[in-house]
Amino acid sequence: MTGLEAPLGFTDCGSPTARASRDTAGSDRHAVTPVIDRFIIHHTGTTDDQLDFFSRCNKRSSAPTFYLRHDGSVIELIRPGAKPSSSGADWNWRSVAVETLNETGAPGYTVTEAQTEELAQMIAWLATFDGKDLDGVPVSFTIDREHVISHRETCECPGPFLQARLNDIVNRAQQIFTENLTA
């Protein structure tokens, strides 16, 4: 995993000094107790590399935690303790979000086998923090379909290819996590 510090992990990307806080949710910005309890899978909707787009202030104000390329390489765009801006006000405060670069465009929006394997690896990694803090934020995360969701479950992303494979990715993540416990 490679890490950047994209300006969108902050309250003002023009002056990146204060991190976006996980203690508010919803369009009314009501107070919540910070937690990471969801892993949300997104897709870019394009086959063009989007790293530059996500690495700076952008027209969508989008800032996922991670960006996943075709070869399975992961770039950390914002620290996991910073609130992502990717899944909507009711979900950002409680999630780690990964934006997955599509291998093909519409209508399937497919991704590579390396990407589906890496998604499972990332989910298993997050589960190792259950009951602990990750970058200063408490984690309450179980590898199941309640906690591993797609952006489609909060709107219309990540496309039919990844959506149809979420159960397989969750099952693979459970296998990886169990193997790591016994290693």
Side-chain angles (χ1 to χ4, degrees), residues 160-177:
F161 183 85
L162 268 174
Q163 187 66 38
R165 285 160 183 77
L166 276 176
N167 288 333
D168 294 336
I169 292 168
V170 167
N171 290 337
R172 176 68 180 128
Q174 289 170 332
Q175 178 185 17
I176 293 164
F177 183 74

Side-chain angles (χ1 to χ4, degrees), residues 61-174:
S61 296
S62 184
T65 314
F66 302 107
Y67 177 68
L68 178 56
R69 286 185 162 149
H70 296 148
D71 64 359
S73 60
V74 178
I75 295 97
E76 180 184 272
L77 293 171
I78 63 171
R79 296 176 61 121
K83 180 167 60 174
S85 176
S86 57
S87 305
D90 292 321
W91 295 95
N92 290 331
W93 69 275
R94 65 189 305 180
S95 67
V96 165
V98 60
E99 192 76 38
T100 309
L101 178 61
N102 290 110
E103 184 176 39
T104 66
Y109 297 108
T110 64
V111 300
T112 67
E113 185 62 34
Q115 287 171 299
T116 57
E117 175 64 19
E118 186 55 35
L119 286 167
Q121 295 283 343
M122 293 170 75
I123 293 163
W125 165 81
L126 182 59
T128 67
F129 288 93
D130 182 50
K132 304 173 190 167
D133 280 7
L134 173 59
D135 195 26
V137 179
V139 176
S140 178
F141 182 76
T142 304
I143 303 173
D144 61 24
R145 283 290 283 116
E146 178 183 345
H147 296 89
V148 178
I149 64 175
S150 73
H151 196 196
R152 178 171 290 192
E153 292 163 84
T154 67
C155 72
E156 74 281 349
C157 173
F161 183 85
L162 268 174
Q163 187 66 38
R165 285 160 183 77
L166 276 176
N167 288 333
D168 294 336
I169 292 168
V170 167
N171 290 337
R172 176 68 180 128
Q174 289 170 332

